Amino acid sequence: MPYAKPDALVSTAWLADHLDAPDVRVVDASWFFPQEGRDPRAEHAKLRIPGAVFFDIDEIADTASHLPHMLPAPEKFSSRVRRLGLGDGVKIVVYDAIGLRSAARAWWMFRVFGHEDVAVLDGGLPKWLAEGRPVVEERPEPPRERHFTARVNNLLVKDRHQVARAIADGRTQLVDMRPADRFRGEAPEPRPGVRAGHVPGALNLPYTEFLDPMSGTVLDADRLEARILAAGIDPSKPVIAMCGSGVTAGMLALAMYLLGKRDVPVYDGSWADWGSDESLPIER
């Protein structure tokens, strides 16, 4: 079965054929967990897909918040992506250095701010490199600015109050994309002061379940749907995605979009927000 909305993914072959297209822009949205000790900006400067600009999830954010990489104000988002040469009238292709971890977060962010012509590179940088496709190793040149018109889609983002109401209504499904041991509270959280466990009533579906373990690409539509149903998710009902801090939750939004459910929102603060507030209930 083909994807209902395949426009959210492009293959490495497609990107290779369109690298020189005047209306295509490539974005490296690599991001690593703090404990991994890797610097995505430095890695981008050393090796990247030709023409790619670096989209810093931790800086294109509300840096005044105590929570990590929360959505910025639309004015800040517009300013930052303009400087990257990203804007109206271009197709944006996002990749990351892991394959598919943070690219879906950037894909979701562009859609939150009204840019629908955005796709994720299936398999990301690892697949691109494995196929021997071209890379650039010199320091990147500053891109030419391009106007970006932000039109905020509030349907795509939720906060803790909206999540609490969704739980109370008994119809909305909250899906946590963290690894199962963290969801069950058996493994400690990587951020200090964040409790172990999950939001009461939440379902668990680790984001890696959407990826083929051999190729690192997104599963085909049949297998995507099977994983979603096996996790107890009813695609006909409202869904909110969450994870540790709102990054890998983008994978559920992407997967559901591919299957035709285009407006799955992300709980932006995710467990970093809920788990750090002692007044909010948790389950283990």
Side-chain angles (χ1 to χ4, degrees):
M1 184 178 72
Y3 297 129
K5 292 188 66 63
D7 57 287
L9 277 183
V10 300
S11 68
T12 49
W14 184 96
L15 182 58
D17 289 341
H18 291 81
L19 273 180
D20 296 326
D23 59 346
V24 173
R25 298 290 186 275
V26 185
V27 172
D28 177 355
S30 298
W31 173 87
F32 304 115
F33 291 108
Q35 64 270 26
E36 290 177 317
R38 295 174 63 178
D39 183 340
R41 185 181 292 275
E43 292 190 18
H44 169 83
K46 290 180 180 178
L47 188 146
R48 61 198 176 279
I49 294 175
V53 295
F54 182 65
F55 183 98
D56 189 342
I57 285 173
D58 284 328
E59 198 283 325
I60 305 177
D62 178 5
T63 51
S65 173
H66 71 283
L67 296 169
H69 38 251
M70 293 286 285
L71 283 174
E75 296 81 9
K76 180 175 181 178
F77 187 86
S78 295
S79 172
R80 295 299 190 270
V81 299
R82 270 203 315 268
R83 294 179 197 173
L84 295 176
L86 309 173
D88 303 342
V90 299
K91 181 178 186 66
I92 295 170
V93 178
V94 189
Y95 73 89
D96 69 59
I98 297 298
L100 273 171
R101 176 197 279 171
S102 51
R105 164 77 183 192
W107 169 85
W108 169 77
M109 289 177 70
F110 276 102
R111 295 188 65 237
V112 167
F113 291 107
H115 194 93
E116 291 287 334
D117 198 1
V118 57
V120 170
L121 179 64
D122 201 9
L125 186 61
K127 189 170 189 290
W128 184 270
L129 293 174
E131 293 168 349
R133 300 191 186 274
V135 293
V136 177
E137 299 179 1
E138 298 82 13
R139 180 171 292 279
E141 294 291 328
R144 292 180 60 184
E145 289 196 13
R146 188 180 185 97
H147 181 71
F148 183 92
T149 305
R151 304 179 183 89
V152 180
N153 183 351
N154 289 312
L155 295 176
L156 291 178
V157 58
K158 300 295 182 185
D159 60 24
R160 65 162 68 180
H161 305 292
Q162 293 166 312
V163 168
R165 288 196 294 272
I167 295 168
D169 75 17
R171 182 169 177 267
T172 300
Q173 305 160 105
L174 182 63
V175 183
D176 192 323
M177 308 296 286
R178 289 178 297 159
D181 57 351
R182 286 176 59 193
F183 177 81
R184 295 191 297 261
E186 298 167 358
E189 286 298 305
R191 293 178 177 83
V194 179
R195 298 171 292 170
H198 59 265
V199 178
L203 301 170
N204 183 222
L205 180 54
Y207 84 95
T208 51
E209 291 291 308
F210 290 145
L211 304 175
D212 185 292
M214 298 298 293
S215 66
T217 55
V218 179
L219 298 176
D220 59 54
D222 287 335
R223 289 189 291 167
L224 269 187
E225 185 174 52
R227 296 289 169 87
I228 287 168
L229 294 175
I233 302 166
D234 183 344
S236 69
K237 295 181 179 180
V239 174
I240 299 173
M242 67 173 291
C243 58
S245 61
V247 174
T248 61
M251 277 299 299
L252 180 64
L254 175 66
M256 299 291 277
Y257 181 98
L258 291 169
L259 295 177
K261 197 175 182 70
R262 54 173 288 115
D263 290 328
V264 170
V266 169
Y267 172 17
D268 196 20
S270 280
W271 189 247
D273 179 37
W274 192 282
S276 62
D277 189 333
E278 295 287 343
S279 71
L280 295 174
I282 64 170
E283 285 182 351
R284 294 187 183 181

